[in-house]
Each structure stands twice: as C-alpha cells, then as structure tokens.
Amino acid sequence: MKEQQIQQSFEIAKLRYAELGVDVEKAINELDKLPISLHCWQADDVTGFENLDGALTGGIQATGNYPGKARNIAELRADIDKAMELIPGNHRVNIHAFYGDFGGQFVDRDEIEPKHFQSWIDWAKEKNYKLDFNCTCFSHAKSADGLTLSHPDPEIRNFWIEHVIRSRKIAEDMGRQLGSKCMHNIWIPDGSKDVTVNRLQYRQNLKDSLDKIFEYKTNDVYMKDCIESKVFGIGLENYTVGSHEFYMGYGIKNNIPITLDSGHFHPTEIISDKISSLLLFSSEIMLHVTRSIRWDSDHVVILNEELVAIAQEIVRADAIDKVHVGLDYFDASINRIGAYVVGVRATQKALLQALLEPLAKLREFEANGQKFERLALLEEAKSMPWNSVYDYYCMKKGVIVAQDYIADIQQYENNVTSKR
Ligand code: RNT
Ligand code: ZN
C-alpha cells in the first residue's frame, strides 16, 4: 500500500471517529503501550531444548508437520525476531522452562537455574523485549502417568515442587534484570483418563504442593505467579485436578492471579464474560488467548467475535494495566512465523477496535434506557474504519502494512526456514 493512501484513509477515519467523540490518537497511544506476550512454543511445536526427540505429552498436541520448524535456540530466536519485525509495538516473549540454554548437557527439571536463562535475558535486553516464564510440568518421565504436583507419591510431588520453585526464581531473575514484572504461569496436566474415585485426594495433594511452592517468597515487583485451569486434556478426559473451581478458590484465597485460557472451557463457554467478575476479587488476570475448534485445539488466533469481546471487556473494565495478554497456540501445519504474525495482529486489531469504541455515547444510551440506539451504535462501530487506523499505526512504527507482510514471510521461508 502507498504511504499517501494510508495517510488519507487515516485522516478520514479520524474525522469519522471524532464525530462519535472518539480520540483516535489517544487510542493509538494506548495500543502502543499494550504488550502482548508471544509464546515461544509456536516456533517449534512445543518441543523445547532438553532432548531432541522428546515427545510432547500432558494432554496437549501440536498437529501437522509443516517444514522448517526451529531446531535450536538460535533458530527459535531468529524466528521470533522475524515475527516481531512484522508486529508494531514493544512486546514480551513467554519462555517455557524446558527451553533453557543447557549447553548440550542434560539438566533435569529439578536442577534448572537462572544461569540457564541468562542468554535469553541477554537476547531480550538487546532486542528490547520483556520476558514471561512458565514451569514445564509435562513432556517428562515423571509426568508420564498424567500426574505431577498431585501425584500420590510424595517423591514425585517433591520433584515437581522443586521444579516450580526453581522456575519462580528464574522468573524473578528475568523480571529483575529486565526491569519488568515477569508473569510466571503454572499449568499442570494432572488428570485421569478414566473414572477416578479419588477426586478429593488428588486435589488435596495439589493444594498441599502449591502451599509448599508459595512458601518460598518472591518479590512482587519482579515476578508474579498465576495459575491456569483446564477442563480436560487428550488422554485425560474424565477428570482434571486443576479445574476452574479449584484454581478460583486457591487463587482468590491466596491472592494469586488466575490465568484464563480461552481454550480451557466447555466449547460454548467464553472467557470474555469472566473478566469483569474476576477483577472484582483479583488484582490481576493472565490471559492465554487461543482459538479452540471443538476442543482445546490451539488453532492460530484470528479476529473472531470472542477475541473482540475479550478486548472490549478489558477496555470497558478499564483494566489494561491489570489484564496481561498472552497468546497460547501451536499450529504445526502452517508457516510458523506466519502463525505468530496472524495471531498477534488479530489480537492488536481487536484491542484497537475496543479502544476506538464510542463508549461514552454507548453508556449514555444505556443509562437513558435507549436500547435500540445502543444496539445500533454497537453495530455501526463494527464497520467503522478501525483498520485504516491500524494500517496507519503499522506505517508509523515502520512495520509492513496489511497483506504485504505475506510476501515478506514467504521470502523468509525461501531464504531461511525451507533450508532447515
Ligand atoms: C495447556 C495449557 C498451557 C500450555 C503451555 C505450553 O493446555 O494451555 O498453557 O499450552 O504451557
Ligand atoms: Zn494455556
């Protein structure tokens, strides 16, 4: 697209939004300050760098075998850098513990240390990214029977407790060195394929393990834990220890934010409506934005109704500083850098639409009981020229505008990923 065209469309959009009392420049500034946490695991189908043929377990699956996945840290970082080049703004990278820089040695999960993540921190510093972190309680011999922190064997529980405490220390170190609070997410696969008669016992075990984990105190300025529930995993269909109710109870009682993954609920249950409820009882929320098709399939995020609703709820609740937006999907069937860029751009577009909403007017209609007017304006807002504003934002940030990024990714594929 031509610069002049982008500029002209933007000027028209600005006038149209002004008619509705919306300040476009302000919306752009807010969007620009809104980091999205890019999950490192889309680049290599959640393989990690512990051992090269480690299989993905824990009830999650990356399906497809599109060529060119990242095989080592250097390739993975290069792919993330490439994706970041095509995304306007300053963002975060979300690292999993089994992506440590282990220098060819086998370092077990209960042995990881901040030093194994120093090269990630140095890279982030150099590129001006911030980091988030996750303990990795799956794809390991000690999680093979689908249980970790809730395992009946105290030795196995202790192994995972040690791992999570070490992960929390690493997250704290990342936050300290990068001067930005690192969100440390705890998700465990624990569950049962078939009927269990010990639902309470496993949950009691998980509660005790978490209590031990949080006995170790970290500095809130540098890191914050969050806990992620799930409805079921593949091969663990009957029962999930860390259900939504479990973590809601644990999180609210112990002042630990909840992670809402948009794929972790029943297919018609949406997370957008949970945001305003949770915010009344929790100071922060972590989001794992994904697109589930029939199950937690982790398809690439696209600009669909629920994504827009999530963004609207964040903005309408005035919670931009309280809701951390992270992505969590892994599609191995398409170009993986493209998967990143499509998902982040869609998320930014949803956030921008929400920031451009004529909220004052809509709230005025609602207060006056003018329901037709509210509905009509919501409908009109959908087709307002928000995309001209997004194009302009990309241009101002020196990022390729609109569909032209497709050719750029194709070129990277020709020059880089297809040669792997
Ligand atoms: C799994 C959870 C979890 C993982 C990542 C890799 O269902 O969504 O967040 O996807 O930790
Ligand atoms: Zn998730």
Side-chain angles (χ1 to χ4, degrees):
M1 276 220 280
K2 297 234 161 45
E3 205 168 300
Q4 205 190 353
Q5 262 182 328
I6 298 165
Q7 184 75 38
Q8 279 172 353
S9 306
F10 172 70
E11 296 302 338
I12 294 166
K14 201 167 152 180
L15 289 175
R16 289 209 47 204
Y17 276 108
E19 275 177 37
L20 296 176
V22 174
D23 181 343
V24 166
E25 304 280 359
K26 188 170 162 237
I28 292 178
N29 284 338
E30 285 187 54
L31 181 67
D32 194 43
K33 284 186 291 189
L34 233 162
I36 293 173
S37 196
L38 210 69
H39 54 309
C40 76
W41 51 93
Q42 163 64 57
D44 74 336
D45 315 337
V46 212
T47 306
F49 301 131
E50 248 171 6
N51 71 65
L52 288 173
D53 41 37
L56 177 59
T57 65
I60 52 179
Q61 260 177 22
T63 54
N65 58 352
Y66 196 83
K69 82 173 194 173
R71 295 164 300 179
N72 52 52
I73 295 199
E75 289 180 355
L76 192 125
R77 286 184 192 149
D79 290 357
I80 291 176
D81 288 337
K82 182 66 212 174
M84 289 284 199
E85 216 181 280
L86 298 170
I87 301 161
N90 294 323
H91 298 284
R92 312 180 66 88
V93 182
N94 201 1
I95 312 281
H96 240 290
F98 69 157
Y99 285 78
D101 194 345
F102 302 121
Q105 307 281 77
F106 177 70
V107 179
D108 210 347
R109 304 276 171 91
D110 61 344
E111 292 167 347
I112 56 167
E113 290 178 55
K115 69 175 188 207
H116 300 120
F117 295 86
Q118 190 57 46
S119 72
W120 281 109
I121 297 171
D122 295 341
W123 168 73
K125 248 187 218 161
E126 187 197 323
K127 306 284 175 174
N128 198 20
Y129 310 143
K130 306 297 180 195
L131 296 179
D132 293 310
F133 199 60
N134 305 257
C135 50
T136 310
C137 301
F138 52 87
S139 299
H140 189 278
K142 289 198 167 70
S143 67
D145 55 5
L147 296 169
T148 63
L149 292 175
S150 72
H151 205 286
D153 179 350
E155 247 177 67
I156 295 192
R157 283 207 301 280
N158 285 337
F159 173 86
W160 291 109
I161 290 169
E162 180 64 25
H163 170 65
V164 180
I165 292 176
R166 281 170 180 260
S167 297
R168 298 178 66 228
K169 292 181 184 171
I170 291 162
E172 190 176 35
D173 187 49
M174 287 176 163
R176 186 184 296 113
Q177 289 200 50
L178 294 169
S180 170
K181 188 170 72 182
C182 172
M183 294 304 286
H184 172 249
N185 187 59
I186 302 175
W187 171 73
I188 59 167
D190 297 34
S192 165
K193 180 184 172 87
D194 216 330
V195 193
T196 165
V197 291
N198 286 316
R199 285 176 186 256
L200 180 65
Q201 188 57 57
Y202 297 118
R203 289 192 171 128
Q204 181 71 56
N205 292 348
L206 176 55
K207 181 176 172 292
D208 292 347
S209 293
L210 290 172
D211 288 346
K212 290 197 176 110
I213 284 166
F214 295 124
E215 260 167 33
Y216 177 80
K217 297 294 170 214
T218 51
N219 188 333
D220 265 11
V221 174
Y222 302 128
M223 76 84 82
K224 191 92 180 220
D225 294 286
C226 42
I227 44 184
E228 181 182 7
S229 72
K230 187 163 181 171
V231 64
F232 81 94
I234 294 287
L236 303 164
E237 291 86 355
N238 198 283
Y239 166 72
T240 299
V241 185
S243 60
H244 185 51
E245 291 72 16
F246 177 92
Y247 284 123
M248 275 284 284
Y250 194 90
I252 302 302
K253 191 166 175 199
N254 298 289
N255 201 16
I256 294 163
I258 305 291
T259 300
L260 293 174
D261 184 310
S262 50
H264 287 195
F265 295 85
H266 288 280
T268 57
E269 190 178 357
I270 48 179
I271 66 160
S272 50
D273 186 44
K274 300 184 191 298
I275 293 171
S276 54
S277 295
L278 255 182
L279 283 173
L280 291 175
F281 305 102
S282 179
S283 55
E284 289 170 80
I285 300 175
M286 178 81 210
L287 297 185
H288 273 188
V289 182
T290 187
R291 176 169 51 116
S292 51
I293 306 232
R294 307 195 190 283
W295 70 289
D296 184 29
S297 58
D298 286 300
H299 281 66
V300 178
V301 165
I302 56 169
L303 189 57
N304 60 17
E305 215 176 348
E306 170 62 354
L307 185 66
V308 174
I310 290 169
Q312 285 169 335
E313 285 307 307
I314 297 172
V315 174
R316 289 173 186 173
D318 197 16
I320 283 181
D321 298 330
K322 297 179 191 157
V323 181
H324 306 268
V325 181
L327 303 181
D328 179 14
Y329 51 81
F330 22 99
D331 188 340
S333 73
I334 65 170
N335 180 301
R336 294 170 183 81
I337 290 105
Y340 274 132
V341 181
V342 168
V344 184
R345 284 191 177 217
T347 307
Q348 283 191 313
K349 287 176 186 175
L351 288 163
L352 180 62
Q353 277 188 51
L355 289 164
L356 289 168
E357 193 173 55
L359 199 52
K361 194 82 204 151
L362 286 162
R363 286 195 166 141
E364 190 186 311
F365 284 148
E366 187 160 322
N368 294 336
Q370 292 171 287
K371 294 179 184 166
F372 145 69
E373 291 82 349
R374 179 188 60 190
L375 187 65
L377 188 54
L378 280 169
E379 280 303 285
E380 287 304 316
K382 287 181 184 169
S383 48
M384 283 290 286
W386 52 266
N387 211 29
S388 301
V389 181
Y390 188 71
D391 288 347
Y392 172 83
Y393 173 54
C394 288
M395 183 175 85
K396 283 281 144 189
K397 301 297 280 189
V399 167
I400 298 181
V401 177
Q403 69 278 359
D404 291 355
Y405 80 81
I406 298 171
D408 194 67
I409 290 179
Q410 285 173 331
Q411 203 184 348
Y412 186 76
E413 174 164 308
N414 288 340
N415 298 341
V416 182
T417 51
S418 66
K419 307 226 161 90
R420 287 179 185 161

